[in-house]
Amino acid sequence: TAVLRESGIEWIRAEDISVGDLILSGALAAWPGESKEVSLESAWFAGAFLGNGGLYFDGESDYVVTFKHSDLDVCKEFQRIASEECGASARKIIGTPGAFSSACGRREAVESIRSLVGTDYGEKGQWKIPRWVWAADESVAKSFLAGLIDTDGFAPGAFEVSYSTISHPASQGLAA
């Protein structure tokens, strides 16, 4: 059974569950052996991609990674990480307002991004929190959440965060 304790997610036997343990369902917890090493930058990229990104094949030769954001610096950071971590080359950035960034890449770059954001990325609006987030170090999980908040979130106060999504599975994962 996976439980969340102050020290993080732990795998324990059912008889070792203690008062105060938060039991995680199999749908939310990463099973042993499914964790992956993810850098802080890749975690942020995954969150930002799930917030405002997309993938498609242009019908000719390019696989295209898209990302829209009103802050040109956020677009540049997204493209830098897409290039360095996933192998997608920058194609264009259109200036503000409504900055837009686009990167093209080989099939391998697109597969790298799909692997990072999880195999549950697919039908528009129906993504889930990648399984690796649940087993990640706190700093990596926070970086993933920062990517989400930088794109579709709002932080009005020191301990207040709001995130908006049309994905029911994602909202359930974020609530957990």
Side-chain angles (χ1 to χ4, degrees):
T1 303
V3 296
L4 180 62
R5 294 182 169 161
E6 286 186 23
S7 58
I9 295 175
E10 295 181 26
W11 288 90
I12 62 171
R13 297 176 54 87
E15 62 263 16
D16 295 330
I17 294 173
S18 302
V19 173
D21 287 342
L22 178 61
I23 300 171
L24 302 177
S25 76
L28 298 177
W31 298 102
E34 289 191 18
S35 64
K36 64 192 298 181
E37 290 294 318
V38 176
S39 70
L40 293 175
E41 287 187 333
S42 290
W44 179 87
F45 176 87
F49 177 86
L50 289 170
N52 282 7
L55 293 172
Y56 70 91
F57 182 66
D58 73 359
E60 294 180 18
S61 61
D62 283 339
Y63 292 87
V64 180
V65 181
T66 62
F67 180 75
K68 295 179 184 178
H69 198 279
S70 60
D71 185 332
L72 189 58
D73 289 334
V74 173
C75 284
K76 288 179 180 178
E77 183 66 1
F78 183 88
Q79 280 198 322
R80 183 187 68 75
I81 297 170
S83 174
E84 291 176 9
E85 300 281 325
C86 303
S89 59
R91 180 185 284 171
K92 62 184 172 182
I93 294 182
I94 299 171
T96 55
F100 172 79
S101 117
S102 174
C104 65
R106 307 169 319 278
R107 180 180 195 90
E108 295 81 18
V110 171
E111 292 306 316
S112 175
I113 292 169
R114 283 189 178 204
S115 171
L116 181 62
V117 299
T119 56
D120 294 326
Y121 173 78
E123 185 179 332
K124 186 166 179 67
Q126 295 307 306
W127 58 274
K128 297 179 183 177
I129 304 297
R131 295 186 74 120
W132 56 261
V133 172
W134 303 107
D137 290 338
E138 183 177 345
S139 60
V140 173
K142 284 181 177 179
S143 187
F144 171 79
L145 292 173
L148 285 175
I149 293 165
D150 284 347
T151 54
D152 282 343
F154 176 61
F159 296 101
E160 295 178 74
V161 175
S162 176
Y163 183 78
S164 172
T165 181
I166 63 170
S167 171
H168 183 71
S171 65
Q172 295 291 78
L174 288 170

